[in-house]
Amino acid sequence: MEKLLNELSSECQPAYGVECDVAINAQVPENLKRSIPLGLPNIAENDLLRHFTNLSRKNYALSTVFYPLGSCTMKYNPLINERIARNDAFNNVHPYQPIEAIQGVLEVMYELEKDLCEVAGMDTFSLQQAAGAHGELAGLLVIAKYFKSIKQKRRKIIVPDSAHGTNPASAAFAGFEIVLLKSEPDGSISLDKLKEVLTPEVAAMMLTVPNTLGVFEKNIDEISKLVHDNGSLLYYDGANLNAVMGIVRPGDMGFDVMHINLHKTFSTPHGCGGPGSGPIGVKSFLETFLPVPRVEKKKDKYVLNYKKSKSIGKLKAFFGNFPVILKAYAYVKALGGKGLKNVSEQAVLNANYMLAKFKDKINIPAGNICMHEFVLSPKTLFKNDIRTIDIAKRLLDYGYYAPTIYFPLIVDEAIMIEPTETESKETLDKFINVVNKIILEEFCRDPQKLKDAPINTPVRRLNEVEAARKPILKWE
Ligand SMILES: *Cc1c(COP(=O)(O)O)cnc(C)c1O
């Protein structure tokens, strides 16, 4: 176990580099000077450097290991885009600068909006939202305002059980009532069941495509017709657009509102709650309700338009998480249309390659073909009290970040894997071999090892909930 800095501190070890400059010290008035020492730990500079470097190495990161996390995946995040986001020309601007001085920033936003329209087949985008769920909320508020404007009382949102968990949460937050639609065993939507719940009170149906089983909804055209014939709108959860870019467009399939997670598909690594960006795209009849300010182009000048009387208002300070927007802009411009299509093809190919290698050995609830990710249910193989969590913990011993487990909720003992578009065949093969080894050999031969895992990590198996239930918030 690594010691804390306070534990490493020694009275007789002077720490270099933090001594106050004598000349500055002389200028500080006597009454403002510290009467007791600051209490910083005394640690030699090299020990301090080693302490933090060693701590950082105990972490799992995309830059050190394969990260097969399903659903909320970190996809292709070129490092060059991090450099671009740190460029002084963008990094030192302030949102209170006059509009003439931030023309470059507004141009990036204006251009990215147009590019996202092209990718998604929507008429216009708003970049303000800070996350996928924030985008959902914005989209649902737009839908609510639209129905209010045409004086229709519709307070229900249909959400299939194969949708991402944020969908029903956002709908509830936006004041709607949720109608849960049970999906078929292969994760698709039954048109008959949909007809049963499509009442005049339904404002919209939210679809996660591909859904959380990694399946593309085969009945989209029919669903779109049924929903629109009912006077309702169709919402596309496009958090994981790396499965379909350049191949199909939500706008062409009849979706009226959608969100994209720039921090998944468009080059921002994520974790620990941010920063993110969840742009929403809408068809032109909904544009008037989008959040303000809108970036507009008047002759050759970019302006911010706050005067939109029907807008749902402002959802975030200033104009959104600009560095994330900038990275997405650089990503789209660097890859171009062909490159984005290639991303999707590679993402789907990699996932299907892995799925094919598992399909004879492990139960796959949603069939043998997937989009960018897939779900395994190894339950039928379980012996000796072994469960999915034991497989995930054992993978840590082999140096992997564990895949998503126990999600989606509709699959028992789920393991959800997304290899992403940029991993090599060699990396995938190694991982497949390790999973098969754990499931086929260690399950039978060495069950206790799985129960004890992880064995090689800095800390062993932790109580998953203790830190939340009994937090220690004070240094004694
Ligand atoms: C990640 C994800 C979301 C939520 O995005 P956040 O940025 O975490 O709020 C919504 N839908 C799907 C399908 C996702 O994968």
mmCIF file of all heavy atoms in Angstrom, residues 71-72 131-133 136 164 166 208 237 239-240 259 261 263-264, ligand 1:
data_model
loop_
_atom_site.group_PDB
_atom_site.id
_atom_site.type_symbol
_atom_site.label_atom_id
_atom_site.label_comp_id
_atom_site.label_asym_id
_atom_site.label_seq_id
_atom_site.Cartn_x
_atom_site.Cartn_y
_atom_site.Cartn_z
ATOM 1 N N SER A 71 -20.768 0.255 -23.810
ATOM 2 C CA SER A 71 -21.707 1.364 -23.627
ATOM 3 C C SER A 71 -21.023 2.713 -23.484
ATOM 4 O O SER A 71 -20.957 3.461 -24.423
ATOM 5 C CB SER A 71 -22.669 1.135 -22.465
ATOM 6 O OG SER A 71 -23.586 2.211 -22.429
ATOM 7 N N CYS A 72 -20.519 3.036 -22.305
ATOM 8 C CA CYS A 72 -19.956 4.378 -22.118
ATOM 9 C C CYS A 72 -18.484 4.390 -22.528
ATOM 10 O O CYS A 72 -17.605 4.801 -21.779
ATOM 11 C CB CYS A 72 -20.147 4.838 -20.689
ATOM 12 S SG CYS A 72 -21.883 5.069 -20.340
ATOM 13 N N ALA A 131 -23.381 17.120 -21.581
ATOM 14 C CA ALA A 131 -23.276 15.657 -21.495
ATOM 15 C C ALA A 131 -24.394 15.038 -22.321
ATOM 16 O O ALA A 131 -25.301 15.752 -22.783
ATOM 17 C CB ALA A 131 -23.402 15.198 -20.041
ATOM 18 N N GLY A 132 -24.340 13.708 -22.456
ATOM 19 C CA GLY A 132 -25.393 13.026 -23.187
ATOM 20 C C GLY A 132 -26.745 13.209 -22.517
ATOM 21 O O GLY A 132 -27.738 13.572 -23.155
ATOM 22 N N ALA A 133 -26.779 12.968 -21.210
ATOM 23 C CA ALA A 133 -28.040 13.097 -20.481
ATOM 24 C C ALA A 133 -28.553 14.540 -20.526
ATOM 25 O O ALA A 133 -29.767 14.787 -20.582
ATOM 26 C CB ALA A 133 -27.865 12.642 -19.034
ATOM 27 N N GLU A 136 -30.250 14.900 -23.736
ATOM 28 C CA GLU A 136 -31.590 14.293 -23.677
ATOM 29 C C GLU A 136 -32.581 15.260 -23.034
ATOM 30 O O GLU A 136 -33.687 15.460 -23.531
ATOM 31 C CB GLU A 136 -31.558 13.001 -22.859
ATOM 32 C CG GLU A 136 -30.792 11.877 -23.528
ATOM 33 C CD GLU A 136 -30.472 10.753 -22.556
ATOM 34 O OE1 GLU A 136 -31.117 10.659 -21.487
ATOM 35 O OE2 GLU A 136 -29.556 9.968 -22.855
ATOM 36 N N HIS A 164 -30.744 3.222 -23.076
ATOM 37 C CA HIS A 164 -29.791 3.591 -22.031
ATOM 38 C C HIS A 164 -30.551 4.137 -20.824
ATOM 39 O O HIS A 164 -31.574 4.803 -20.974
ATOM 40 C CB HIS A 164 -28.844 4.662 -22.583
ATOM 41 C CG HIS A 164 -27.642 4.883 -21.729
ATOM 42 N ND1 HIS A 164 -27.595 5.856 -20.761
ATOM 43 C CD2 HIS A 164 -26.451 4.242 -21.685
ATOM 44 C CE1 HIS A 164 -26.405 5.801 -20.165
ATOM 45 N NE2 HIS A 164 -25.699 4.842 -20.710
ATOM 46 N N THR A 166 -30.177 6.555 -18.915
ATOM 47 C CA THR A 166 -30.419 7.998 -18.790
ATOM 48 C C THR A 166 -31.716 8.410 -19.480
ATOM 49 O O THR A 166 -32.279 9.445 -19.144
ATOM 50 C CB THR A 166 -29.260 8.806 -19.409
ATOM 51 O OG1 THR A 166 -28.970 8.273 -20.697
ATOM 52 C CG2 THR A 166 -28.022 8.759 -18.539
ATOM 53 N N THR A 208 -32.632 4.099 -28.434
ATOM 54 C CA THR A 208 -31.173 4.060 -28.416
ATOM 55 C C THR A 208 -30.763 3.155 -29.572
ATOM 56 O O THR A 208 -31.152 1.992 -29.606
ATOM 57 C CB THR A 208 -30.665 3.467 -27.084
ATOM 58 O OG1 THR A 208 -31.128 4.278 -26.007
ATOM 59 C CG2 THR A 208 -29.155 3.412 -27.050
ATOM 60 N N ASP A 237 -31.234 8.376 -29.505
ATOM 61 C CA ASP A 237 -30.087 8.469 -28.610
ATOM 62 C C ASP A 237 -28.859 8.043 -29.405
ATOM 63 O O ASP A 237 -28.636 6.861 -29.653
ATOM 64 C CB ASP A 237 -30.299 7.555 -27.394
ATOM 65 C CG ASP A 237 -29.124 7.601 -26.421
ATOM 66 O OD1 ASP A 237 -27.999 7.898 -26.862
ATOM 67 O OD2 ASP A 237 -29.319 7.326 -25.227
ATOM 68 N N ALA A 239 -25.609 8.520 -28.677
ATOM 69 C CA ALA A 239 -24.362 8.626 -27.902
ATOM 70 C C ALA A 239 -23.236 7.875 -28.585
ATOM 71 O O ALA A 239 -22.091 8.316 -28.589
ATOM 72 C CB ALA A 239 -24.583 8.088 -26.495
ATOM 73 N N ASN A 240 -23.582 6.723 -29.170
ATOM 74 C CA ASN A 240 -22.550 5.874 -29.768
ATOM 75 C C ASN A 240 -22.650 5.902 -31.280
ATOM 76 O O ASN A 240 -22.939 4.906 -31.919
ATOM 77 C CB ASN A 240 -22.699 4.453 -29.239
ATOM 78 C CG ASN A 240 -22.621 4.442 -27.729
ATOM 79 O OD1 ASN A 240 -21.599 4.766 -27.157
ATOM 80 N ND2 ASN A 240 -23.726 4.090 -27.077
ATOM 81 N N HIS A 259 -29.462 13.298 -29.821
ATOM 82 C CA HIS A 259 -28.231 13.857 -29.251
ATOM 83 C C HIS A 259 -27.055 12.980 -29.631
ATOM 84 O O HIS A 259 -27.218 11.808 -29.980
ATOM 85 C CB HIS A 259 -28.333 14.003 -27.727
ATOM 86 C CG HIS A 259 -28.096 12.740 -26.962
ATOM 87 N ND1 HIS A 259 -29.111 11.877 -26.613
ATOM 88 C CD2 HIS A 259 -26.957 12.178 -26.488
ATOM 89 C CE1 HIS A 259 -28.604 10.850 -25.955
ATOM 90 N NE2 HIS A 259 -27.293 10.997 -25.862
ATOM 91 N N ASN A 261 -22.933 12.146 -28.280
ATOM 92 C CA ASN A 261 -21.927 12.400 -27.241
ATOM 93 C C ASN A 261 -20.581 12.677 -27.909
ATOM 94 O O ASN A 261 -19.946 11.755 -28.413
ATOM 95 C CB ASN A 261 -21.775 11.181 -26.324
ATOM 96 C CG ASN A 261 -22.873 11.090 -25.292
ATOM 97 O OD1 ASN A 261 -23.957 11.648 -25.488
ATOM 98 N ND2 ASN A 261 -22.610 10.404 -24.214
ATOM 99 N N HIS A 263 -18.036 13.337 -26.361
ATOM 100 C CA HIS A 263 -17.043 12.702 -25.498
ATOM 101 C C HIS A 263 -17.093 11.182 -25.584
ATOM 102 O O HIS A 263 -16.589 10.501 -24.717
ATOM 103 C CB HIS A 263 -17.215 13.177 -24.052
ATOM 104 C CG HIS A 263 -18.615 13.049 -23.548
ATOM 105 N ND1 HIS A 263 -19.639 13.819 -24.018
ATOM 106 C CD2 HIS A 263 -19.164 12.237 -22.623
ATOM 107 C CE1 HIS A 263 -20.753 13.493 -23.411
ATOM 108 N NE2 HIS A 263 -20.498 12.525 -22.555
ATOM 109 N N LYS A 264 -17.742 10.649 -26.588
ATOM 110 C CA LYS A 264 -17.582 9.220 -26.847
ATOM 111 C C LYS A 264 -17.057 9.057 -28.260
ATOM 112 O O LYS A 264 -15.955 8.595 -28.466
ATOM 113 C CB LYS A 264 -18.904 8.481 -26.670
ATOM 114 C CG LYS A 264 -19.256 8.280 -25.211
ATOM 115 C CD LYS A 264 -20.538 7.530 -25.012
ATOM 116 C CE LYS A 264 -20.897 7.510 -23.538
ATOM 117 N NZ LYS A 264 -22.297 7.136 -23.317
HETATM 118 C C1 LIG B 1 -23.253 7.314 -22.326
HETATM 119 C C2 LIG B 1 -24.602 7.237 -22.854
HETATM 120 C C3 LIG B 1 -25.573 8.189 -22.483
HETATM 121 C C4 LIG B 1 -25.361 9.256 -21.418
HETATM 122 O O1 LIG B 1 -24.293 10.124 -21.689
HETATM 123 P P1 LIG B 1 -23.621 10.971 -20.502
HETATM 124 O O2 LIG B 1 -22.675 11.887 -21.198
HETATM 125 O O3 LIG B 1 -22.946 9.979 -19.621
HETATM 126 O O4 LIG B 1 -24.707 11.727 -19.801
HETATM 127 C C5 LIG B 1 -26.828 8.093 -23.058
HETATM 128 N N1 LIG B 1 -27.110 7.123 -23.937
HETATM 129 C C6 LIG B 1 -26.204 6.180 -24.322
HETATM 130 C C7 LIG B 1 -26.601 5.117 -25.307
HETATM 131 C C8 LIG B 1 -24.922 6.208 -23.791
HETATM 132 O O5 LIG B 1 -24.030 5.268 -24.144
#
